Each structure stands twice: as structure tokens, then as C-alpha cells.
Amino acid sequence: MNDHDHHHHTNCGCDVTPERVDMARRRLMTRSAGAAAAAVAAVAGGTAAAATDEARAYYADPKSPGLPQIDMDIDPGRTALVVTDPQIDFLSEDGVTWGVVGESVTEQGTVDNIERLFIAAKAVGMPVFISPHYYYPHDHKWNFEGTLEATMHSIGMFDRLGPLNLENFEGSGADWMPQYKKYIEDGETIVCSPHKVYSPAQNDLNLQLRKRGIDKVILAGMSANLCTQAHLYDLLELGYEVAVVRDATAGAKVPEGDGYLAALINFRMVANGLWWTEDAVERIGKSA
């Protein structure tokens, strides 16, 4: 069964039917179909290796910053790589959000850049943490939602049959991107409990980091102005230093605005470091 077919039963009471999910997915996927067509072709052809020159120029930092330029050092034993939502629904052309995030994912080279971070961290023994996003049938019974919560629920994003049920999980939108599995499922990576809205306020990421003596985070993953940014804010409030890898994330482009640009502006203002992937990889390598 294709895991983008919704798996809720008609009597589960969540009012999410296969027909409703399919209609919502088609609306979302076609909204930016023209803009995403080139992105799909690029990813399918394996050409998304790094941020494009055009994207680097368009999203370049100001030549004369008005704010102090802060940076973060990597301290072995105290620094970890944290990746939010490295899942099919966000990063694959088969994912339910590709119609709105595909252009940004492709122009930033996000898929490959996240993998480069995994490789670099594993090579030096840096701890890696995943903060995933899953929705179960009971999550579809919430009494109120925000705009994007309602959207995610309506399209069956990150859906699983239950917290103890992995039926139909393999290859579904909630599953990891295939090229990441060898890093995530190596027996060393810490997969945290799922966050439910955007931030790690409701999962065990903070606990797992603290129990490992981590107080510095290299942050990457999806999506820029939502879960990644929310993780940044929460971790900062909890007393961590956080450097964001700017081209190892991406955001939706919708009539309401460019989510990646919105996040980048805030990253510049609050993060302890804002790095390109090649810079992050070099720093990680030198930290061993």
C-alpha cells in the first residue's frame, strides 16, 4: 500500500478519510506545481549537491551587518548534531509538501547537505540526535489547531497508525529519507520522541541532550521557519548554544511568503552561529 494513502479507519472518529486526504494533497501539491517542476527534475537527476549560486546570491547576508557578528566553537563531548524532521514528507518529491517546499529544498541542496552533516558527525564520533514529527489517530481529534497544524493534519502528513504500531511505516511519508537510514539506524543515533507542533517542548530532546552532557547544538533539518526555528528558540531558552546550518534546511514558498527567507532573517538575529554546510563539515572535522 502506498503510505500516502491515509491509514485511518472510517470508524476511528478522527474525520480524516482517504478522500479528504487525497483532495487536500492535490491542492497542496499543485499550488506551486509550476515553480516546483524544475526542482523535481533536479533532485531526480541527482544534481542538488549544494546551494545554487543563484540561491547564495539571493539569500546572501548583508555586506554591512548592523548587528554584532557572533559565532560558536565546537567543543568535543559537549556538542551534538540535531536534525529535525529528516523525513520523506518534507524532503522527497514523493512527500506531501513537495509542491511548496521542493523549490527551496532543491536550491539549497538541503537533502545532500543534511547527509554531509551526518557523514561528518559520524566520522568524528559526534553525537547525533533526531527530533522527528509523527501524528497518530488521537492527534486528529484535537479541538483546535493553528493554520499549518490544520494543513498537516488534513493532508495526512507524518501520519502513523499509532505510537506502538509500525504497520505501513516503511517508505511512508513519516519514514526517514532512504539515504539517511544508514546513519540514523546505526545503533548510535538518538531518535527522540516526536514533537507535535513545532518545538521540542513536548518531546525528550532536552532530556537526552542533558543526559549526554551536551550544551552546544549544530542544528539542521526541516523546515526552516517552522520546526527548525522553533527548536532553535527553545534550545536557546534552555541555555544551549546553537549554530544553524543555513543550507541544510529549507522552507515553503507560498502566497503568504517565503518561509526560508523569514527563518534566515531570524537565524541571523538570534543564533549563536550561522554556517554553510561546507563550513560546518570543516569545523566538525577539525574538532576531532
Side-chain angles (χ1 to χ4, degrees):
M1 178 183 293
N2 184 327
D3 283 278
H4 292 307
D5 294 332
H6 202 76
H7 294 300
H8 295 300
H9 302 294
T10 55
N11 61 353
C12 77
C14 69
D15 194 33
V16 178
T17 65
E19 293 78 14
R20 178 183 169 191
V21 170
D22 287 342
M23 288 180 64
R25 285 187 65 238
R26 284 196 294 270
R27 287 197 299 270
L28 186 63
M29 296 286 282
T30 58
R31 183 174 295 166
S32 300
V40 172
V43 170
T47 58
T52 64
D53 292 341
E54 292 81 3
R56 282 177 175 265
Y58 185 78
Y59 295 107
D61 292 329
K63 293 182 179 180
S64 300
L67 299 174
Q69 298 303 288
I70 306 300
D71 202 4
M72 184 184 90
D73 294 325
I74 295 175
D75 292 322
R78 295 174 51 199
T79 308
L81 172 66
V82 173
V83 181
T84 59
D85 303 351
Q87 294 160 267
I88 285 174
D89 267 345
F90 257 146
L91 289 166
S92 170
E93 62 189 81
D94 296 322
V96 296
T97 65
W98 189 255
V100 292
V101 303
E103 181 180 355
S104 183
V105 167
T106 302
E107 65 187 11
Q108 296 303 322
T110 308
V111 173
D112 291 340
N113 287 333
I114 291 174
E115 183 172 18
R116 292 167 66 194
L117 294 174
F118 279 135
I119 293 170
K122 294 296 181 180
V124 301
M126 177 181 287
V128 177
F129 295 76
I130 306 297
S131 182
H133 208 145
Y134 300 131
Y135 286 128
Y136 308 128
H138 57 253
D139 296 319
H140 288 270
K141 298 180 182 180
W142 294 349
N143 289 336
F144 60 91
E145 302 164 319
T147 300
L148 287 172
E149 290 174 78
T151 301
M152 288 188 286
H153 286 169
S154 72
I155 62 177
M157 190 174 181
F158 301 136
D159 271 0
R160 284 175 47 184
L161 292 178
L164 303 179
N165 190 335
L166 288 176
E167 182 183 351
N168 298 317
F169 175 75
E170 185 77 20
S172 73
D175 198 3
W176 318 124
M177 287 289 283
Q179 58 265 55
Y180 301 159
K181 289 191 175 186
K182 59 187 174 184
Y183 314 111
I184 298 175
E185 299 176 1
D186 65 351
E188 297 295 331
T189 296
I190 297 91
V191 178
C192 298
S193 56
H195 58 271
K196 288 296 178 177
V197 184
Y198 307 114
S199 85
Q202 305 304 325
N203 76 353
D204 65 340
L205 176 62
N206 177 52
L207 172 69
Q208 297 295 342
L209 290 169
R210 293 299 190 195
K211 289 290 191 179
R212 296 293 185 104
I214 303 299
D215 58 11
K216 296 187 174 192
V217 167
I218 300 169
L219 183 63
M222 290 295 285
S223 83
N225 62 314
L226 301 174
C227 299
T228 310
Q229 180 172 293
H231 276 64
L232 168 63
Y233 285 170
D234 252 27
L235 291 169
L236 291 175
E237 296 279 2
L238 289 166
Y240 294 88
E241 284 186 77
V242 186
V244 179
V245 186
R246 60 191 295 160
D247 53 342
T249 185
K253 295 185 178 184
V254 293
E256 287 77 3
D258 182 343
Y260 179 77
L261 178 58
L264 189 60
I265 293 169
N266 290 323
F267 294 161
R268 292 182 184 123
M269 291 186 176
V270 303
N272 300 109
L274 187 58
W275 303 341
W276 293 98
T277 298
E278 60 262 34
D279 185 25
V281 167
E282 182 179 356
R283 288 170 182 246
I284 292 169
K286 289 181 177 179
S287 73

Coordinates of all heavy atoms in Angstrom, one line a residue, residues 159-227:
D159 N 1.8 10.9 9.2 CA 0.8 10.0 9.9 C 1.4 8.6 10.1 O 2.0 8.0 9.2 CB -0.5 9.9 9.1 CG -1.5 11.0 9.5 OD1 -1.1 11.8 10.3 OD2 -2.6 11.0 8.9
R160 N 1.1 8.1 11.3 CA 1.3 6.7 11.6 C 0.1 6.1 12.3 O -0.8 6.9 12.8 CB 2.5 6.6 12.6 CG 3.9 6.7 11.9 CD 5.0 6.7 12.9 NE 4.9 5.6 13.9 CZ 5.7 5.5 14.9 NH1 6.7 6.3 15.1 NH2 5.6 4.5 15.8
L161 N 0.0 4.8 12.3 CA -1.2 4.2 12.8 C -1.3 4.2 14.4 O -2.4 4.1 14.9 CB -1.3 2.7 12.4 CG -1.6 2.5 10.9 CD1 -1.6 1.1 10.5 CD2 -2.9 3.2 10.5
G162 N -0.2 4.5 15.0 CA -0.2 4.6 16.4 C 1.3 4.6 17.0 O 2.2 4.2 16.3
P163 N 1.4 5.0 18.2 CA 2.8 5.1 18.8 C 3.5 3.7 18.9 O 4.7 3.6 19.0 CB 2.6 5.7 20.1 CG 1.2 5.5 20.5 CD 0.4 5.5 19.2
L164 N 2.7 2.6 19.0 CA 3.3 1.3 19.1 C 3.0 0.5 17.8 O 3.2 -0.7 17.9 CB 2.6 0.6 20.3 CG 2.8 1.3 21.7 CD1 2.1 0.5 22.8 CD2 4.2 1.5 22.0
N165 N 2.7 1.1 16.8 CA 2.3 0.4 15.5 C 3.2 0.9 14.4 O 3.1 2.1 14.0 CB 0.8 0.7 15.2 CG 0.3 -0.2 14.1 OD1 1.1 -0.7 13.3 ND2 -1.0 -0.5 14.1
L166 N 4.0 0.0 13.8 CA 4.8 0.4 12.7 C 4.3 -0.2 11.4 O 5.0 -0.1 10.4 CB 6.3 -0.1 12.9 CG 7.1 0.7 14.0 CD1 8.4 0.1 14.2 CD2 7.2 2.2 13.6
E167 N 3.1 -0.6 11.4 CA 2.5 -1.2 10.1 C 2.5 0.0 9.1 O 2.0 1.1 9.3 CB 1.1 -1.6 10.4 CG 0.4 -2.2 9.2 CD -1.0 -2.7 9.5 OE1 -1.4 -2.6 10.7 OE2 -1.8 -3.0 8.5
N168 N 2.9 -0.4 7.9 CA 2.9 0.6 6.8 C 3.9 1.8 7.0 O 3.8 2.7 6.2 CB 1.5 1.1 6.4 CG 0.6 -0.1 6.0 OD1 1.0 -0.9 5.3 ND2 -0.6 0.0 6.5
F169 N 4.7 1.7 8.0 CA 5.6 2.8 8.2 C 6.7 2.9 7.2 O 7.1 4.0 6.7 CB 6.2 2.7 9.6 CG 7.3 3.8 9.9 CD1 6.9 5.1 10.2 CD2 8.6 3.5 9.9 CE1 7.8 6.0 10.5 CE2 9.6 4.4 10.2 CZ 9.2 5.7 10.5
E170 N 7.3 1.7 6.8 CA 8.4 1.7 5.9 C 8.1 2.4 4.6 O 7.1 2.0 3.9 CB 8.8 0.2 5.6 CG 10.1 0.1 4.8 CD 11.4 0.3 5.5 OE1 11.4 0.3 6.8 OE2 12.4 0.6 4.9
G171 N 8.8 3.4 4.2 CA 8.6 4.1 2.9 C 7.5 5.1 3.0 O 7.2 5.7 2.0
S172 N 6.8 5.2 4.1 CA 5.7 6.2 4.2 C 6.3 7.6 4.3 O 7.5 7.8 4.5 CB 4.9 5.9 5.4 OG 5.5 6.3 6.6
G173 N 5.4 8.6 4.3 CA 5.8 10.0 4.5 C 6.5 10.3 5.8 O 7.2 11.2 6.0
A174 N 6.2 9.4 6.8 CA 6.7 9.6 8.2 C 8.1 9.0 8.3 O 8.8 9.2 9.3 CB 5.8 9.0 9.2
D175 N 8.5 8.1 7.3 CA 9.8 7.4 7.4 C 10.9 8.4 7.1 O 10.7 9.4 6.5 CB 9.7 6.3 6.4 CG 10.8 5.2 6.7 OD1 11.5 5.3 7.7 OD2 10.9 4.2 5.9
W176 N 12.1 7.9 7.4 CA 13.3 8.7 7.1 C 13.5 8.7 5.6 O 13.1 7.8 4.9 CB 14.6 8.1 7.7 CG 14.4 7.7 9.1 CD1 14.7 6.4 9.6 CD2 14.0 8.4 10.3 NE1 14.5 6.4 11.0 CE2 14.0 7.6 11.4 CE3 13.6 9.8 10.4 CZ2 13.7 8.0 12.7 CZ3 13.2 10.2 11.7 CH2 13.3 9.4 12.8
M177 N 14.2 9.7 5.1 CA 14.7 9.7 3.7 C 15.6 8.5 3.6 O 16.5 8.2 4.5 CB 15.5 11.0 3.4 CG 14.6 12.2 3.2 SD 13.6 12.1 1.7 CE 14.9 12.5 0.5
P178 N 15.5 7.7 2.5 CA 16.2 6.4 2.4 C 17.7 6.6 2.6 O 18.4 5.7 3.2 CB 15.9 6.0 1.0 CG 14.5 6.6 0.7 CD 14.6 7.9 1.4
Q179 N 18.3 7.6 2.0 CA 19.8 7.8 2.1 C 20.3 8.1 3.6 O 21.5 8.0 3.8 CB 20.3 8.8 1.2 CG 19.7 10.2 1.3 CD 18.6 10.5 0.4 OE1 17.6 9.7 0.4 NE2 18.7 11.5 -0.4
Y180 N 19.3 8.5 4.5 CA 19.7 8.8 5.8 C 19.7 7.6 6.7 O 20.2 7.6 7.9 CB 18.8 9.9 6.4 CG 18.8 11.2 5.7 CD1 17.7 12.0 5.8 CD2 19.9 11.6 4.8 CE1 17.7 13.3 5.2 CE2 19.8 12.8 4.2 CZ 18.7 13.6 4.3 OH 18.7 14.8 3.7
K181 N 19.0 6.5 6.3 CA 18.8 5.4 7.2 C 20.0 4.8 7.8 O 20.1 4.3 8.9 CB 17.9 4.3 6.5 CG 16.5 4.8 6.3 CD 15.6 3.6 5.9 CE 14.1 4.1 5.8 NZ 13.2 3.0 5.5
K182 N 21.1 4.7 7.0 CA 22.3 4.0 7.5 C 23.0 4.8 8.6 O 23.7 4.3 9.4 CB 23.3 3.8 6.3 CG 23.7 5.1 5.6 CD 24.5 4.7 4.3 CE 24.8 5.9 3.5 NZ 25.6 5.5 2.3
Y183 N 22.7 6.1 8.7 CA 23.2 6.9 9.7 C 22.3 6.9 10.9 O 22.7 6.9 12.1 CB 23.4 8.4 9.3 CG 24.1 8.5 7.9 CD1 23.4 9.0 6.8 CD2 25.4 8.1 7.7 CE1 24.0 9.1 5.6 CE2 26.0 8.2 6.5 CZ 25.3 8.7 5.4 OH 25.9 8.8 4.2
I184 N 21.0 7.0 10.7 CA 20.0 7.1 11.8 C 19.8 5.8 12.5 O 19.6 5.7 13.7 CB 18.7 7.7 11.3 CG1 18.8 9.1 10.7 CG2 17.6 7.7 12.4 CD1 17.6 9.7 10.1
E185 N 19.9 4.7 11.7 CA 19.6 3.4 12.2 C 20.9 2.6 12.5 O 20.9 1.4 12.4 CB 18.7 2.6 11.3 CG 17.4 3.3 11.1 CD 16.4 2.7 10.1 OE1 16.8 1.6 9.5 OE2 15.3 3.2 9.9
D186 N 22.0 3.3 12.9 CA 23.3 2.6 13.1 C 23.4 2.1 14.5 O 24.5 1.6 14.9 CB 24.4 3.5 12.7 CG 24.5 4.8 13.6 OD1 23.6 5.0 14.4 OD2 25.5 5.5 13.5
G187 N 22.4 2.3 15.4 CA 22.5 1.9 16.7 C 23.1 2.9 17.7 O 23.2 2.7 18.9
E188 N 23.6 4.0 17.1 CA 24.2 5.1 17.9 C 23.4 6.4 17.9 O 23.5 7.1 18.9 CB 25.6 5.4 17.3 CG 26.6 4.2 17.4 CD 27.0 3.8 18.8 OE1 26.9 4.7 19.7 OE2 27.3 2.7 19.1
T189 N 22.7 6.7 16.8 CA 21.9 7.9 16.8 C 20.8 7.8 17.7 O 20.1 6.8 17.9 CB 21.4 8.1 15.3 OG1 22.5 8.3 14.5 CG2 20.5 9.3 15.2
I190 N 20.5 8.9 18.4 CA 19.4 9.0 19.4 C 18.2 9.6 18.7 O 18.2 10.7 18.2 CB 19.8 9.9 20.6 CG1 21.0 9.3 21.4 CG2 18.6 10.1 21.5 CD1 22.3 9.8 21.0
V191 N 17.2 8.8 18.6 CA 15.9 9.2 18.0 C 15.0 9.5 19.1 O 14.6 8.7 19.9 CB 15.3 8.1 17.1 CG1 14.0 8.6 16.5 CG2 16.3 7.7 15.9
C192 N 14.7 10.8 19.2 CA 13.9 11.3 20.3 C 12.4 11.0 20.1 O 12.0 10.6 19.0 CB 14.1 12.8 20.5 SG 15.8 13.3 20.9
S193 N 11.6 11.1 21.1 CA 10.2 11.0 21.0 C 9.7 12.2 20.1 O 10.4 13.2 19.9 CB 9.5 11.1 22.3 OG 9.8 12.3 23.0
P194 N 8.5 12.0 19.4 CA 8.1 13.0 18.4 C 7.7 14.3 19.1 O 7.1 14.4 20.1 CB 6.9 12.4 17.7 CG 6.4 11.4 18.7 CD 7.6 10.9 19.5
H195 N 8.0 15.4 18.4 CA 7.4 16.7 18.7 C 6.1 16.8 17.9 O 5.9 16.2 16.9 CB 8.4 17.9 18.4 CG 8.8 18.0 17.0 ND1 9.9 17.4 16.5 CD2 8.3 18.7 15.9 CE1 10.1 17.7 15.2 NE2 9.1 18.4 14.8
K196 N 5.2 17.6 18.5 CA 3.8 17.5 17.9 C 3.4 18.8 17.2 O 2.5 18.7 16.3 CB 2.8 17.2 19.1 CG 2.9 15.8 19.6 CD 2.5 14.8 18.5 CE 2.6 13.4 19.0 NZ 2.2 12.4 18.0
V197 N 4.0 19.9 17.5 CA 3.6 21.1 16.8 C 4.8 21.6 16.1 O 5.0 21.2 14.9 CB 3.0 22.2 17.8 CG1 2.5 23.4 17.0 CG2 1.8 21.6 18.5
Y198 N 5.7 22.3 16.7 CA 6.9 22.7 16.0 C 8.2 22.6 16.9 O 9.2 22.1 16.4 CB 6.8 24.2 15.6 CG 5.6 24.5 14.8 CD1 4.6 25.4 15.3 CD2 5.4 24.0 13.5 CE1 3.5 25.6 14.6 CE2 4.3 24.2 12.8 CZ 3.3 25.1 13.3 OH 2.1 25.3 12.6
S199 N 8.1 22.9 18.2 CA 9.3 22.9 19.0 C 9.5 21.6 19.7 O 8.6 20.7 19.7 CB 9.1 24.0 20.0 OG 8.4 23.6 21.2
P200 N 10.6 21.4 20.4 CA 10.8 20.2 21.2 C 10.2 20.3 22.7 O 10.6 19.6 23.5 CB 12.4 20.1 21.3 CG 12.8 21.6 21.2 CD 11.8 22.3 20.4
A201 N 9.3 21.3 22.9 CA 8.8 21.5 24.2 C 8.1 20.2 24.7 O 8.0 20.0 25.9 CB 7.8 22.7 24.2
Q202 N 7.5 19.4 23.8 CA 6.8 18.2 24.2 C 7.5 16.9 23.9 O 6.8 15.9 24.0 CB 5.4 18.3 23.6 CG 4.6 19.5 23.8 CD 4.4 19.8 25.3 OE1 4.2 18.9 26.1 NE2 4.4 21.1 25.6
N203 N 8.7 16.9 23.5 CA 9.4 15.7 23.4 C 10.6 15.6 24.3 O 10.8 16.5 25.2 CB 9.8 15.4 21.9 CG 11.0 16.2 21.4 OD1 11.5 17.1 22.1 ND2 11.5 15.9 20.2
D204 N 11.5 14.6 24.2 CA 12.5 14.4 25.2 C 13.9 14.8 24.7 O 14.9 14.4 25.2 CB 12.6 12.9 25.7 CG 13.0 12.0 24.6 OD1 12.8 12.3 23.4 OD2 13.4 10.8 24.9
L205 N 14.0 15.7 23.7 CA 15.2 16.1 23.1 C 16.1 16.8 24.2 O 17.3 16.5 24.4 CB 15.0 17.1 22.0 CG 16.3 17.7 21.4 CD1 17.2 16.7 20.8 CD2 16.0 18.8 20.3
N206 N 15.6 17.7 25.0 CA 16.3 18.4 26.0 C 16.9 17.4 27.0 O 18.1 17.5 27.4 CB 15.5 19.5 26.7 CG 16.2 20.1 27.8 OD1 17.3 20.7 27.7 ND2 15.6 20.1 29.0
L207 N 16.1 16.5 27.5 CA 16.5 15.5 28.4 C 17.6 14.6 27.9 O 18.7 14.4 28.5 CB 15.3 14.5 28.8 CG 15.7 13.3 29.6 CD1 16.1 13.8 31.0 CD2 14.5 12.3 29.7
Q208 N 17.5 14.2 26.6 CA 18.5 13.3 26.0 C 19.8 14.1 25.8 O 20.9 13.5 26.1 CB 18.0 12.8 24.7 CG 16.8 11.9 24.7 CD 17.1 10.6 25.5 OE1 18.2 10.2 25.7 NE2 16.0 9.9 25.9
L209 N 19.7 15.4 25.5 CA 21.0 16.2 25.3 C 21.6 16.4 26.7 O 22.8 16.2 26.8 CB 20.6 17.5 24.7 CG 20.2 17.5 23.2 CD1 19.7 18.9 22.9 CD2 21.4 17.2 22.3
R210 N 20.9 16.7 27.7 CA 21.4 17.0 29.0 C 22.0 15.7 29.6 O 23.1 15.8 30.3 CB 20.4 17.5 30.0 CG 19.8 18.9 29.6 CD 20.9 20.0 29.6 NE 20.3 21.3 29.5 CZ 21.1 22.4 29.2 NH1 22.4 22.3 29.0 NH2 20.5 23.6 29.1
K211 N 21.4 14.6 29.4 CA 21.9 13.3 29.9 C 23.3 12.9 29.3 O 24.0 12.1 29.8 CB 20.9 12.2 29.8 CG 19.7 12.3 30.6 CD 20.0 12.1 32.1 CE 18.8 11.9 33.0 NZ 19.1 11.6 34.4
R212 N 23.5 13.5 28.1 CA 24.8 13.2 27.4 C 25.8 14.4 27.7 O 26.9 14.3 27.1 CB 24.6 13.1 25.9 CG 23.7 11.9 25.5 CD 24.4 10.6 25.8 NE 23.6 9.5 25.3 CZ 23.9 8.8 24.2 NH1 24.9 9.1 23.5 NH2 23.1 7.7 23.9
G213 N 25.5 15.3 28.5 CA 26.4 16.4 28.8 C 26.5 17.4 27.6 O 27.6 18.1 27.6
I214 N 25.5 17.5 26.8 CA 25.6 18.4 25.6 C 25.0 19.8 26.0 O 24.0 19.9 26.6 CB 24.8 17.8 24.4 CG1 25.3 16.4 24.1 CG2 24.8 18.7 23.3 CD1 26.7 16.3 23.6
D215 N 25.8 20.8 25.6 CA 25.2 22.2 25.8 C 25.5 23.0 24.6 O 25.2 24.2 24.6 CB 25.8 22.8 27.1 CG 27.3 22.9 27.0 OD1 28.0 22.7 26.0 OD2 27.9 23.3 28.1
K216 N 25.9 22.4 23.5 CA 26.1 23.1 22.2 C 25.5 22.2 21.1 O 25.7 21.0 21.1 CB 27.6 23.4 21.9 CG 28.3 24.3 22.9 CD 29.7 24.6 22.4 CE 30.3 25.7 23.3 NZ 31.5 26.2 22.7
V217 N 24.7 22.9 20.2 CA 24.0 22.2 19.2 C 24.3 22.7 17.8 O 24.3 24.0 17.6 CB 22.5 22.2 19.5 CG1 21.7 21.8 18.3 CG2 22.1 21.3 20.7
I218 N 24.6 21.9 16.9 CA 24.6 22.2 15.5 C 23.2 21.8 14.9 O 22.9 20.6 14.9 CB 25.7 21.5 14.7 CG1 27.1 21.9 15.3 CG2 25.7 21.8 13.2 CD1 28.2 21.1 14.8
L219 N 22.4 22.7 14.4 CA 21.0 22.4 14.1 C 20.8 22.5 12.6 O 21.2 23.4 11.9 CB 20.1 23.5 14.8 CG 18.6 23.4 14.6 CD1 18.1 22.1 15.2 CD2 17.9 24.6 15.2
A220 N 20.1 21.4 12.1 CA 19.7 21.3 10.7 C 18.4 20.6 10.6 O 17.9 20.1 11.6 CB 20.8 20.6 9.9
G221 N 17.9 20.5 9.4 CA 16.6 19.8 9.2 C 15.5 20.7 8.7 O 15.7 21.8 8.3
M222 N 14.3 20.1 8.7 CA 13.1 20.8 8.2 C 12.2 21.1 9.3 O 12.1 20.5 10.3 CB 12.5 19.9 7.2 CG 13.3 19.7 5.9 SD 13.5 21.2 4.9 CE 11.9 21.3 4.2
S223 N 11.3 22.1 9.0 CA 11.6 23.1 7.9 C 11.9 24.4 8.6 O 11.6 24.7 9.7 CB 10.3 23.2 7.0 OG 9.4 24.1 7.5
A224 N 12.6 25.3 7.8 CA 13.3 26.4 8.3 C 12.5 27.3 9.3 O 13.0 27.5 10.4 CB 13.8 27.3 7.1
N225 N 11.4 27.8 8.9 CA 10.7 28.8 9.7 C 9.7 28.1 10.6 O 9.0 28.8 11.4 CB 10.0 29.8 8.8 CG 8.9 29.2 7.9 OD1 9.2 28.1 7.3 ND2 7.7 29.8 7.9
L226 N 9.6 26.8 10.6 CA 8.7 26.1 11.5 C 9.4 25.3 12.5 O 9.9 25.9 13.5 CB 7.8 25.2 10.6 CG 7.0 26.0 9.6 CD1 6.2 25.0 8.7 CD2 6.0 27.0 10.2
C227 N 9.6 24.0 12.3 CA 10.2 23.2 13.4 C 11.7 23.5 13.7 O 12.1 23.5 14.8 CB 10.1 21.7 13.0 SG 8.4 21.2 12.8

